[in-house]
Each structure stands twice: as C-alpha cells, then as structure tokens.
Amino acid sequence: AQSVTQPDIHITVSEGASLELRCNYSYGATPYLFWYVQSPGQGLQLLLKYLSGDTLVQGIKGFEAEFKRSQSSFNLRKPSVHWSDAAEYFCAVGAGGSEKLVFGKGTKLTVNP
Amino acid sequence: SQTIHQWPATLVQPVGSPLSLECTVEGTSNPNLYWYRQAAGRGLQLLFYSVGIGQISSEVPQNLSASRPQDRQFILSSKKLLLSDSGFYLCAWSVNPNQPQHFGDGTRLSIL
C-alpha cells in the first residue's frame, strides 16, 4: 500500500522569500501525485498534479512541483511567497487500481510580513 | 463545469442525537464519491467511498454509515452521535481513481 510523509509540520517564511515543502511517498510503481491547499475552515483546493510525463509540473497560484523517482519525492516550490499563501498544504498519492488517495498529515505555512 | 455542494456548513448536535450530512455533485455522471473526517493536527481520514449507486466501502469501523441513493448524492449518517464524532467532514468526488479528487467546503460538526 502507498504512504505519504510530509516531514515538516509547520514552516514559517518571510513574504517574498522562496518556499519548498517536502513530500516523500512510498509506492512500488509510478504513483499519481497531488498537492492541495486548505485555508482555515475551507475545503481542499487542488494546486497541481503529476500523472505521467514531464516530471516538473506547474500549478495554480505560481506553484510548481518536481517528481523525483530516485528520491521518492514530490516537493512543492514557489519562488516568492505572498501573505495570502499562508495555509495548510497536503500532499497526496494515488496508485493504479486503487480508488483511494493517501494524504500526508499536512504542513502549515505561516508567512511573516 | 462540475460543482460539489455540502450542507450544512456548521452543525451543533447533542450527544446521542442522529446525524445526516448531505453531499451532491453536479455536472458529471457516475463519479467516485468520498467522505473524509479531519481532526485538528491529524490530517484527513478516509471514512467511506463509493464507486456507484448503492456501493459503499467503509475504511474505518465506527459510529457512522454512508449511503448513495442517487448517482450524484452521498449521505453520511449516524443513529447516535458520540463526542468523538466531532470534527470537520469533507466530501469529495473524482472522475476516476487516477484523477484528482475535488472537495466540498466541509461541515464543521460539534457535539455537546
């Protein structure tokens, strides 16, 4: 069965600084990978997805992520963080033949002015 | 375009009372449907999923049940709520397992 680890529970960055949120997965074959963002009291919004092909994927709000098979990672990046990016971020992995996604426990992002 | 509706947005219920949360999807047919619970600091816990009308898979044995009476309707129920049922409940849908899940705005359930 697949699993996901988000090593950082809470990250604080200054506005305008770059951001990288880590995600490591465990799965024997090529997974389907997703990043979601959740603002307080809201549902989850899809930021980007990797299903196949180009390992560098672009998403909404200026985010990108890179699938690295050798490291079993799918880290989320943004070159310059805005105060509105403060939220909780979830990485999720799916596997062929399974109807389910497995979510990481999330990383809470705080943005300092 | 597809949309997902969840209601109510917030709910306060006494211990031992029944529960019914509803989720509907518009703009697609035969979606996969999911119910999650999110407790503070504990991520998302998949409760139930459904790949078709009347087909329900339960992930965690508990005080809750789910039903899918129509293609795009998914209901989460309980006969008697427990304090431990408090949390943020999210409904989601996907076209197929290899595609992203899309979430509703959630229901905040508080048990008194």
Side-chain angles (χ1 to χ4, degrees), chain B residues 60-92:
Chain B
V60 182
Q62 58 207 324
N63 187 42
L64 302 169
S65 62
S67 62
R68 185 171 177 172
Q70 300 180 44
D71 181 42
R72 292 169 290 173
Q73 184 185 30
F74 205 24
I75 297 172
L76 183 69
S77 304
S78 174
K79 293 181 179 179
K80 285 187 176 182
L81 285 167
L82 306 172
L83 284 174
S84 58
D85 293 323
S86 293
F88 191 53
Y89 289 82
L90 289 159
C91 182

Side-chain angles (χ1 to χ4, degrees), chain A residues 6 15 19 47 49 58 72-73 86 97 101 105 108 111 113:
Chain A
Q6 292 181 247
E15 190 168 16
L19 172 70
L47 283 176
K49 62 186 177 185
Q58 303 296 321
S72 298
S73 69
L101 293 183
K105 294 191 182 300
K108 184 177 180 180
V111 180

